[in-house]
Amino acid sequence: MTVVKSTIPDSARQVAGEALQNTLVDLLGLSLIGKQAHWNIVGPRFRSIHLQLDEVVAAARSFADTVAERSSALGLPPDGRPETIASAFTLPGPKDGWVRDTEVVEVLIEALESAVARLRERIDATEKADPVTQDLLIAITAELEKQRWMFAAENVSHDD
């Protein structure tokens, strides 16, 4: 079997690889949270939030592919197996069954905030080790922050 060789030193590759793998887990999990909420949302804002959830899922899946390919390019096989995601995933998700539209928004805000906070830690960790990976993590963070803002705007009341 041919092993892909990295263009960066092993120590830097290890830092980048850990950041990429953890991000892959978060993104794949986030896509599952989004789909679970998408299928089970109820309430007066069903349609608009239902569609907005698809935007989050599409972004998470697209970025997951990019993250996995970056890991492969560094010579580190990405691990997106269901058992890996299930055992490593810790972002908050929706409850079982039907979920009110306001609750879906709160869950997505919380999950996106958690994902962004972890991404920011990985951005710091990869700054010197691998600026290319850091740049990718910055782009992901920007999109997830945008999605978080859009969900946060959903639950603003007329009194706020």
Side-chain angles (χ1 to χ4, degrees):
M1 176 191 305
T2 304
V3 177
V4 177
K5 300 292 183 190
S6 177
T7 59
I8 64 175
D10 284 345
S11 60
R13 188 173 73 119
Q14 184 176 350
V15 170
E18 184 177 324
L20 290 164
Q21 180 60 40
N22 291 335
T23 300
L24 181 62
V25 168
D26 283 354
L27 290 168
L28 291 174
L30 190 57
S31 75
L32 294 172
I33 287 171
K35 272 305 180 187
Q36 181 68 20
H38 173 89
W39 297 321
N40 291 288
I41 186 173
V42 294
R45 295 179 297 158
F46 164 82
R47 177 124 174 99
S48 63
I49 296 171
H50 181 80
L51 295 173
Q52 190 176 350
L53 288 163
D54 273 341
E55 291 178 27
V56 171
V57 170
R61 287 179 176 170
S62 177
F63 279 127
D65 189 53
T66 303
V67 163
E69 289 175 353
R70 176 68 187 152
S71 184
S72 292
L74 293 176
L76 300 164
D79 189 354
R81 296 172 300 154
E83 59 270 23
T84 300
I85 305 310
S87 68
F89 186 72
T90 60
L91 293 178
K95 66 180 184 179
D96 186 30
W98 305 116
V99 184
R100 298 286 311 169
D101 52 3
T102 53
E103 292 174 56
V104 166
V105 169
E106 289 303 320
V107 165
L108 264 290
I109 290 169
E110 190 178 344
L112 289 163
E113 280 179 2
S114 294
V116 164
R118 288 150 55 149
L119 276 162
R120 288 188 171 279
E121 291 172 4
R122 296 174 197 142
I123 288 167
D124 289 343
T126 56
E127 180 180 12
K128 289 189 176 130
D130 184 20
V132 176
T133 294
Q134 183 194 43
D135 188 53
L136 174 57
L137 299 177
I138 289 169
I140 296 167
T141 302
E143 177 60 27
L144 295 187
E145 284 180 334
K146 179 180 114 181
Q147 291 295 335
R148 189 223 160 267
W149 156 64
M150 294 174 96
F151 276 100
E154 285 283 346
N155 276 356
V156 174
S157 69
H158 297 290
D159 300 335
D160 291 339

